[in-house]
């Protein structure tokens, strides 16, 4: 299907996924691509494909500046440098960097320091024209009231050219603001009933419809209220 934009989704690009069910209401899409200042949430259990999809959303030629907050320091910090991302574990060093695509792996002390976390997101907010990816929203401190500047990136970042992509395994345990500011939802396999319930409350996608296989997902648009059937990432093209 050769089209510049999938109807009702705000997504466009080269083919990165395929329909896996006749219920796909938008047909065979073209690749996932957010608007320059859009916000997305990736929801799913460990190993379901969130990080693979996140990488495609972040490595967007029309959004050449990106920052990844990677508290786990596992696959992202190890694999993403292959495509031009530069990893830092020192906050002063990343602030001074002129590289376009940055990954920040905070120390254990900084990861548990709310002031240090807020200072990081303050830097991102004032950097502007950046796509921010937070790998696991549950790692953010503050409970129902996370970092002031993280909230600013979500709610006021568009005016500064900031786009956000946030992933989470446990949507039932993260603040509502983290979910409610997103225009784009990508829903992968989930384990816990409470998480499925939270997804259904927001998107009306029931637990019976949520994908059960890894690398399958459903897309839901908060702008239109429309959703797709199950889609599968094409790993051979990664």
């Amino acid at each position: 299907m050769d089209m510049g934009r999938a109807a009702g989704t705000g997504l466009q690009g080269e083919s990165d996924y395929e329909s896996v069910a006749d219920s796909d209401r938008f047909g065979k899409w073209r690749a996932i691509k957010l608007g320059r200042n859009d916000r997305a949430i990736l929801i799913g259990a460990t190993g379901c494909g969130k990080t693979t999809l996140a990488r495609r959303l972040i490595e967007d030629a029309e959004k050449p500046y990106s920052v990844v907050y990677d508290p786990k320091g596992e696959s992202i910090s190890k694999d993403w440098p292959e495509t031009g991302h530069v990893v830092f574990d020192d906050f002063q060093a990343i602030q001074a960097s002129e590289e376009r695509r940055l990954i920040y792996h905070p120390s254990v002390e900084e990861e548990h320091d709310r002031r240090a976390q807020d200072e990081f997101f303050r830097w991102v907010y004032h950097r502007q024209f950046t796509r921010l990816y937070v790998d696991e929203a549950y790692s953010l401190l503050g409970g129902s009231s996370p970092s002031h500047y993280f909230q600013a990136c979500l709610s006021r970042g568009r005016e500064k050219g900031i786009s956000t992509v946030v992933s989470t395994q446990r949507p039932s345990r993260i603040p509502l603001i983290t979910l409610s500011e997103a225009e784009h939802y990508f829903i992968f396999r989930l384990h816990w009933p409470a998480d499925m319930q939270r997804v259904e409350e927001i998107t009306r996608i029931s637990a019976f419809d949520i994908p059960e296989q890894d690398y399958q997902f459903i897309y839901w648009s908060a702008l239109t209220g429309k959703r797709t059937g199950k889609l599968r990432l094409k790993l051979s093209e990664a």
Side-chain angles (χ1 to χ4, degrees):
M1 183 175 182
D2 187 11
M3 60 185 291
R5 185 173 292 270
T9 67
L11 306 180
Q12 58 185 5
E14 295 302 317
S15 181
D16 280 336
Y17 52 86
E18 59 191 354
S19 172
V20 295
D22 293 336
S23 61
D24 178 4
R25 299 176 187 177
F26 298 115
K28 188 173 181 181
W29 287 5
R30 305 198 64 185
I32 296 159
K33 186 174 183 181
L34 303 180
R36 287 186 180 181
N37 300 328
D38 284 359
R39 296 156 294 189
I41 183 85
L42 281 58
I43 299 171
T46 300
C48 66
K50 297 193 307 296
T51 303
T52 300
L53 177 54
R55 186 170 182 173
R56 294 178 180 181
L57 296 176
I58 296 301
E59 294 177 355
D60 182 347
E62 293 186 13
K63 201 73 175 179
Y65 293 90
S66 63
V67 176
V68 176
Y69 184 73
D70 180 27
K72 293 181 290 187
E74 296 175 355
S75 62
I76 292 177
S77 291
K78 293 178 181 177
D79 299 338
W80 289 26
E82 297 173 359
T83 49
H85 299 263
V86 181
V87 181
F88 292 86
D89 57 12
D90 179 86
F91 184 52
Q92 291 185 340
I94 197 171
Q95 285 180 292
S97 175
E98 296 183 358
E99 299 289 344
R100 293 189 171 194
R101 300 206 179 278
L102 309 171
I103 298 172
Y104 184 55
H105 174 45
S107 66
V108 173
E109 292 76 19
E110 287 187 9
E111 185 183 349
H112 293 88
D113 183 333
R114 184 168 182 176
R115 180 177 295 180
Q117 202 169 77
D118 196 49
E119 186 63 22
F120 170 80
F121 290 113
R122 179 181 182 275
W123 167 70
V124 173
Y125 183 74
H126 289 295
R127 187 182 193 233
Q128 305 185 79
F129 309 110
T130 294
R131 180 156 290 162
L132 167 67
Y133 175 49
V134 175
D135 185 39
E136 188 44 63
Y138 191 53
S139 68
L140 301 182
L141 305 176
S144 62
S145 181
S147 159
H148 170 75
Y149 276 101
F150 174 64
Q151 293 186 57
C153 288
L154 292 173
S155 62
R156 301 195 300 274
R158 291 177 64 90
E159 63 194 44
K160 288 184 171 290
I162 294 174
S163 169
T164 60
V165 178
V166 179
S167 74
T168 184
Q169 302 174 38
R170 303 299 313 274
S172 63
R173 293 189 175 185
I174 64 174
L176 186 59
I177 185 175
T178 306
L179 298 167
S180 63
E181 293 293 335
E183 297 99 351
H184 308 283
Y185 283 66
F186 302 91
I187 299 144
F188 292 79
R189 171 177 57 81
L190 287 166
H191 290 308
W192 301 104
D195 296 325
M196 297 180 192
Q197 182 178 349
R198 172 60 72 88
V199 167
E200 184 170 4
E201 288 170 353
I202 296 172
T203 68
R204 297 186 179 178
I205 296 173
S206 73
F208 298 101
D209 293 327
I210 291 175
E212 296 180 351
Q213 297 182 25
D214 290 338
Y215 300 101
Q216 285 186 5
F217 66 95
I218 293 173
Y219 169 80
W220 180 76
S221 169
L223 298 175
T224 67
K226 294 182 179 180
R227 50 156 286 193
T228 67
K230 295 174 184 176
L231 302 171
R232 179 188 294 116
L233 290 171
K234 290 184 178 179
L235 300 182
S236 61
E237 296 181 9

